[in-house]
Amino acid sequence: MTELTGKVAFITGAAGGIGLGIARAFAEVGGRVAVADIDEAVLAESAAELAESGAEVVAVPLDVTDRDSWAAAVESVHAKLGLVQVLVNNAGVSTNGMRFDEVSPRVWDRVVEINLTGVYNGVHNFLPDLRAAGGGHIVSTSSMGGLMGLPALSPYSATKAAVIALSEALHAELADDGIGVSVLCPGGVRSRLWRTSRAIKGLPDTDVPPDDQSGQSATASMLPDEVGRRVVDGVLSDELYIFTHPEMRGWVAEREERIRRGFDRAEAFSG
Ligand SMILES: NC(=O)c1ccc[n+]([C@@H]2O[C@H](COP(=O)([O-])OP(=O)(O)OC[C@H]3O[C@@H](n4cnc5c(N)ncnc54)[C@H](O)[C@@H]3O)[C@@H](O)[C@H]2O)c1
């Protein structure tokens, strides 16, 4: 898409953090925004703040894992804003700090439901809008943790890797339909993620000390508004991979090197 003015963007996980940063950035370039989240109270405050700054905004209560909730969201956005042209699947939870032995079946299922099936649900419900509008763009939030399986983060890394693969497949599949696809892979961003994810781990919603690794999203230096502007830039320039932390490039290079060594061994074996 080369122009976002007047276009409707539907953004999940937009009550705060990166989702709200993306909503602000779309509004800044004249986009009309539907902000969706499971946390209705914080969502209402954030939507009011966006409206005060002059944005055309609609707040949509949504649990990304609940298909009836998606049906109601589609209806509400159609009635208030019309067809969606930009879909941002951003809602997610983190299992940062949980080693595999601590990951119960309940935690695993819930993380897959929110971080991966939630993205499927978004595309399934709004792809018809993008087609009917004659084109559009889909952004899904993964993570640098999706490019590399990290210790004490296995369900998160697994689901975020799947979001990258899903986005790559959709990018190839939808290119001829005028629908762009991007996957956002941030490093640490200051947000409430450590807090909004505590229920997943069965922990009470209390403060954690800043040096607690599970609280890293509370102390990271990059701010969500910066990520939001990067996303708008990525959509306008039709980038498949939207990165925010260029200093983390070495992670990917290290992984590529390990994969290369695997192929070298396969070559030596077959030769
Ligand atoms: N903060 C970081 O360092 C970081 C880094 C890489 C990726 N991410 C990803 O960015 C995305 C946004 O996270 P954030 O850091 O802004 O945290 P955040 O907690 O501020 O935002 C996540 C939002 O998702 C909402 N949410 C959770 N479950 C939901 C559900 N079932 N249905 C609808 N909404 C739901 C939460 O209420 C919350 O508002 C997530 O997908 C996260 O994995 C964050």
Side-chain angles (χ1 to χ4, degrees), residues 54-185:
E56 188 173 349
V57 58
V58 169
V60 183
L62 173 75
D63 176 349
V64 294
T65 71
D66 177 349
R67 300 212 162 105
D68 292 338
S69 179
W70 274 105
V74 171
E75 206 173 298
S76 156
V77 177
H78 283 174
K80 292 171 186 159
L81 293 175
L83 290 175
V84 165
Q85 286 130 312
V86 181
L87 167 66
V88 183
N89 295 301
N90 167 76
V93 286
S94 168
T95 54
N96 200 2
M98 285 182 102
R99 299 196 66 84
F100 186 81
D101 292 339
E102 299 168 67
V103 178
S104 65
R106 184 196 67 82
V107 168
W108 177 268
D109 289 349
R110 190 67 184 148
V111 175
V112 171
E113 244 191 324
I114 296 173
N115 288 3
L116 177 57
T117 310
V119 175
Y120 163 80
N121 287 338
V123 178
H124 175 73
N125 279 284
F126 279 116
L127 187 54
D129 270 38
L130 272 58
R131 289 195 196 283
H137 205 100
I138 300 168
V139 182
S140 301
T141 304
S142 174
S143 166
M144 286 304 293
L147 284 160
M148 181 96 102
L150 294 171
L153 207 61
S154 54
Y156 186 76
S157 277
T159 53
K160 293 300 186 179
V163 169
I164 294 174
L166 175 61
S167 300
E168 288 170 338
L170 286 172
H171 180 263
E173 226 173 280
L174 300 176
D176 292 342
D177 302 343
I179 297 172
V181 177
S182 301
V183 59
L184 169 66
C185 299

